[in-house]
Amino acid sequence: MKPAEVEILDCTLRDGSYSVGFQFAEETITRVLAGLEAAGIRLVELGHGLGLNAGEALGKPSLVPDERCFELAEETLSEAAWGMFCIPGVAELHHLKAAAESGMRFVRIGLDVTAVEPGEEFLAYARELGLTTFANLMKTNALGLDGVVDAARRCAAYGAEAVYLVDSAGGCLPGRITELFGAVGAAVDVPLGFHGHDNLGLANANALTAADAGARYVDATLDGIGRGAGNTVTESFAAILRSRGAGAAYDYRALATLSETAVRPLPRLHDDRTYQVVGGLTETHSSFFPLIARCAERQGVDLFDLMTEVAGVERVNPTEDLVMGVASALSARYAAA
């Protein structure tokens, strides 16, 4: 894959919503949509960070509900396609249908890499609806190469037109990205995408590595805003592509101005850098930070020691019982030292 063929999918208004507690105002949504389109971005994702129906299903409502997001995207965009994230179980098939009928042109089905079966029905139905259909393999780091290859093959068989490899914990090094894209690219016939987080400061480097290793799509957000440590930076990655003699479709200066004026001034949730760095090193997803912190306090152990210990046992879905057991053993070791 040549860098000139890489396409930026901007998810500022979806993944970036985590950083503002899902409280993007209509004015911000409209301004960012219009600015991204004017700067050459042709794939724009918006909505709740956890996707369609997440505000209702999880009790974490966005300031602007899904239906109004549909309307804003339709009213604002004329050339760019807009899409939404969709996690089976959080959303149901009828939510997908409603979004498609409102003008949505692509959907990203979010699947845990260790359990892709729930995606079969959603991917097939999205294709029936005429949507460009992506499978996003969340927590790709949880499996070895063979497991990731198998998950990607299954998603392609289910109907995914492209498969994303997702560095959910921001802990991948560039060499690992090369291995992942090489192995998966050799095994499936559909295009690949990359979604990276910036816990170790490598999101942009990993995005470029993914592009060099065959990624067709790269996710990015203005100013890198997003869950936890944030994401690949749209304006920077557009400039990186330009430095490689690619990305001529993207006006990186206009993107930088949009980032500076529409995104940077927004009040954001606090990002604890120690959490993020240790989470990246141990490949612990940020959604588990509160659980680990709670158990560390109850057992009187160091939070980051506990995060490291838990990661050595279970990184995919550590339960409270498991974390408490690890914390208790760690406390006993402290006492014996």
Side-chain angles (χ1 to χ4, degrees), residues 145 171-183 202 205-206 209-210 213:
L145 288 178
C172 284
L173 302 183
R176 187 171 178 185
I177 298 298
T178 300
E179 290 179 346
L180 279 170
F181 278 85
L202 291 171
N206 283 338
T209 300

Side-chain angles (χ1 to χ4, degrees), residues 50 60 68 78 131-132 156 180 203 209 234 240 301 325:
L50 287 162
K60 299 178 180 179
R68 182 57 180 153
S78 58
L131 298 170
T132 300
L180 279 170
T209 300
T234 300
I240 289 168
V301 299

Side-chain angles (χ1 to χ4, degrees), residues 272 274-276 278 282 296 301-309:
D272 188 303
T274 308
Y275 273 82
Q276 301 303 337
V278 176
T282 61
V301 299
D302 181 83
L303 164 62
F304 302 109
D305 285 350
L306 180 58
M307 190 181 294
T308 302
E309 293 286 323

